[in-house]
Amino acid sequence: SAETIVIRAGETLDYRPQLQADFAKVTLKSAPGTDIYVNDQKKGASPWTGDLRTGVYTFDAVMAGHRTSTISQTLSATPSSQVYEIPAPTPILGMVDIMSSPVADVYVDEKHMGTTPLSLDLIVGKHTVVLKKDGYKSQKQMVTVSEGQVSTLNFALEKITSPTTATNYSSYSSYTTTQKAAVKTDTDKL
């Protein structure tokens, strides 16, 4: 507010203006992992707290792979502390169909999602898909998920062959053959 004062020559003026705050301490909250923007300027991660002058503002909650959530607010200086909740950004999804021979466990970005065949709605962007099954070599593929699109992944898992097993089987065969020969020899003597 403006005030007019008059100062005359030779007089001392004891003036104590009453100033009013033109800002408020504002806290903006949204879902964990979101970035907070004020009038298109990034302020930091949610929750964010800072001083904002009176006026009209647009508050955004932004997260990769999600639609930005926005609210508008007219700020006044009172109350001096204010809290606003911005709705969580909504995920943008695409679908991935995962098939394998044989049936296997599916991990997406290191999280177990089920077994094949499997259809998943995933957030747009790049994901790592790993298939695992006991006795088989794990396989990994990268997939880029696009909004409204279906990506198909096919896996053919390979059996793990153990060199130790093959060697033991070979020794076992030799041992069996030797035993038969010894028995035959003993029978001939009788």
Side-chain angles (χ1 to χ4, degrees):
S1 67
E3 195 173 330
T4 305
I5 58 170
V6 178
I7 301 175
R8 295 189 174 91
E11 290 182 12
T12 302
L13 177 65
D14 185 9
Y15 178 69
R16 294 180 189 178
Q18 293 295 326
L19 299 177
Q20 284 188 317
D22 190 28
F23 67 91
K25 183 173 287 303
V26 176
T27 299
L28 302 172
K29 297 179 180 181
S30 191
T34 58
D35 288 324
I36 301 296
Y37 284 73
V38 175
N39 290 346
D40 297 324
Q41 194 172 50
K42 185 176 178 179
K43 294 296 185 177
S46 174
W48 173 84
T49 300
D51 292 335
L52 295 177
R53 295 186 69 183
T54 59
V56 178
Y57 288 90
T58 300
F59 303 139
D60 298 319
V62 178
M63 184 185 287
H66 292 68
R67 283 190 173 69
T68 298
S69 184
T70 303
I71 63 171
S72 293
Q73 189 65 44
T74 301
L75 296 182
S76 64
T78 55
S80 60
S81 291
Q82 303 173 31
V83 177
Y84 298 98
E85 186 80 29
I86 306 168
T90 55
I92 303 170
L93 302 174
M95 183 177 272
V96 178
D97 287 335
I98 304 167
M99 293 170 267
S100 71
S101 176
V103 170
D105 288 313
V106 178
Y107 294 82
V108 177
D109 301 328
E110 300 181 8
K111 182 179 175 190
H112 186 257
M113 304 301 281
T115 57
T116 58
L118 188 62
S119 290
L120 297 171
D121 286 326
L122 296 176
I123 292 174
V124 296
K126 291 185 180 190
H127 297 276
T128 303
V129 178
V130 177
L131 264 65
K132 296 179 182 182
K133 182 172 180 71
D134 288 341
Y136 290 81
K137 293 180 185 176
S138 295
Q139 285 194 12
K140 174 166 71 170
Q141 285 187 37
M142 297 297 290
V143 63
T144 301
V145 177
S146 300
E147 182 177 10
Q149 300 295 312
V150 178
S151 299
T152 302
L153 300 178
N154 286 303
F155 291 84
L157 300 178
E158 293 179 45
K159 275 192 173 185
I160 296 174
T161 55
S162 172
T164 308
T165 305
T167 304
N168 289 344
Y169 180 73
S170 175
S171 332
Y172 177 74
S173 295
S174 300
Y175 175 74
T176 305
T177 306
T178 306
Q179 286 287 42
K180 284 181 183 176
V183 171
K184 189 174 186 182
T185 304
D186 288 343
T187 308
D188 289 340
K189 287 183 184 176
L190 292 173

